[in-house]
Amino acid sequence: RYLAGVAAREIGDLDRAISEFREAVRASNAETHAALELARIHLQRGDHQQALSFAHQALLGRGGLDQPEAYVIAARAATQLDRPEIARSSIETLREFGPLSVATRELAIFERERSGPQQALKVIEISGLDLTDTANVEVLQQLAEILSALGRRDEALLKIDAALARNP
């Protein structure tokens, strides 16, 4: 069922993929990443409650608690559901288990949604991450979006140019 779900997802038949992945989860959540696949699809579709549910189920499945993407999905879905306590908890867990750049990116996204771009900018500034390092490119992308939203496009371009100069 899991492989059928992957094939259906690959050809763009998301309804069939959901059906196949659900059956894979029912059969044995511990043997595949079907719950994580379902969380991804539901987040993509904007079905945040289902995304959150399957992200939590994924943490109980094959990959266990060491799945940064499940925490990312949970944080994003919880933010959209106006469940800040769940979003913050997921982000804090990311800080412990996942790459700091991922946790920083997600906290910036959360703060931008909840408090606006100025607060998100503070998150990135105090992170201490080297934004010229390719490992932090997604944080740099968030920074560029935030600066652009604040009308500081020239500053965003300077940060991007600095990263490109270091890593052409």
Side-chain angles (χ1 to χ4, degrees), residues 125-157:
E125 289 175 342
I126 66 171
S127 72
L129 291 172
D130 177 3
L131 299 182
T132 64
D133 185 339
T134 56
N136 302 322
V137 70
E138 292 178 348
V139 179
L140 176 60
Q141 180 182 6
Q142 279 301 312
L143 177 65
E145 290 177 18
I146 292 164
L147 290 172
S148 183
L150 292 169
R152 296 163 55 183
R153 289 175 185 82
D154 291 340
E155 189 177 341
L157 288 173

Side-chain angles (χ1 to χ4, degrees), residues 38-103:
L38 283 163
R40 283 184 195 125
I41 292 170
H42 285 296
L43 184 67
Q44 177 187 356
R45 287 185 155 188
D47 187 353
H48 300 109
Q49 185 58 55
Q50 289 292 324
L52 182 60
S53 294
F54 281 111
H56 283 223
Q57 197 161 358
L59 295 170
L60 301 173
R62 182 175 187 185
L65 298 175
D66 189 26
Q67 296 182 80
E69 188 179 1
Y71 296 107
V72 167
I73 292 169
R76 290 183 183 188
T79 298
Q80 294 303 313
L81 291 168
D82 197 26
R83 303 285 309 270
E85 69 285 353
I86 295 172
R88 282 193 184 279
S89 174
S90 296
I91 293 166
E92 286 305 314
T93 303
L94 267 173
R95 279 186 192 267
E96 293 174 30
F97 294 113
L100 179 59
S101 62
V102 174

